[in-house]
Amino acid sequence: MTAAHPDPQALLRLAVATAHEAAELVRQGRAVAADSVDAKSSPTDVVTAVDTASEQLVVGRLLGERPDDGVLGEEGADRPGTSGVRWVVDPIDGTVNFLYGLPAYAVSIAAEVDGVVRAGVVLNAATGELFTAVAGGGAFVSGPAAPQPVRLGGSRPASLEQALVATGFGYRVEQRREQGAVVAALLPRVRDIRRFGSAALDLCAAAAGRVDAYYEAGLHPWDHAAGALVAAEAGLVVAGLPGRPFAEPLAVVAAPSVADEFLALLAELHP
Ligand code: IPD
Ligand code: CA
C-alpha cells in the first residue's frame, strides 16, 4: 500500500489502540469531571478538562504515528494534512452522561480517506464495549464480557409501529423546541422513543439491533463519522431527508424493513 492508499485495517488498528488509551484517561478523569467545566454553544453545552485532555492524547498518538494526516476534533483540532487521510475525533461523545456518571460516553475515532470514512471505532469508556467497522468489511462489537468480536446485523422490525426509535437533541434552545415538536408527533407512530445521550453510541445501538432506528438533526461530523460507518456496515439504511445528504441536516439510520416508511414520516415532520 502507498501512503496515498493506506490499508483501512491498519488505520482501524491505530484507531482502536488510540481509543483504548483515551478511554482509560477518560475513566480515570471521571472522579474529577465536575471540577473544570466550561460552556460552549449554550450554558448546557459543556466541555470538561477531560474532553480536552482526551482530544490531545488522541491527536498526539495519531499524528505521532502518521504525521502527514489531517485531523478534525470536537474540541478544536483542525488541520488539513497532506496524506489524503483525515481523522475525525470525538474525544468524549456523551459529555453530559460523563459529567453525571451515566454509563454511556464514548471515544469516537473515524479515518477518512480522500473524504470518505473507511474505518471507525466507538469505544464506550464506561463499559469497555467496543464497536468497529471497516468499509466493506462489516461491523463488529466486543467487550470485557465477550472479547471475541461479534458481527452486527441490526434488527428486522415488522412495522414502524413496532419500531423502537432513538434520537437526540442539540444544545440551542430554539433547535430543542423544534426537535421537541418533531418527537412529540413521532411518539404515537412508533413503539417508543429512547434518548441515550451519545450520538455515536446511538448509531452503534441501531447497528446492534438494540433500537430499530435513530435520527437526529444538527449533528457534527465528529458525532457521526465512526458510528454511521458501523451502522452502514451492519446493513442499516443510512440516509438524509429526500434529496439531502446524510446529516445535512438530518441523520437517519433505520432497519431496512422500516426505512422507507420512517424516512417518509420524517420528511413529513421536517417541513
Ligand atoms: C452530543 C451527544 C448527544 C447529541 C448531541 C451531541 P457531546 O455530543 O452526542 O447525544 O444529542 O447532538 O452534540 O456534546 O456529548 O459530545
Ligand atoms: Ca459529540
Side-chain angles (χ1 to χ4, degrees), residues 55-56 59 63 70-80 86-89 222:
E55 180 157 309
Q56 279 169 0
V59 171
L63 297 189
V71 62
L72 176 71
E74 173 161 21
E75 309 311 341
D78 192 1
R79 69 169 234 164
R86 185 176 75 152
W87 299 93
V88 183
V89 177
W222 43 80

Side-chain angles (χ1 to χ4, degrees), residues 9 16 39 62 69 79 108 192 219 230 239 243 249:
Q9 291 286 359
V16 168
L62 296 174
D69 290 356
R79 69 169 234 164
S108 173
D192 208 348
L219 291 180
V230 173

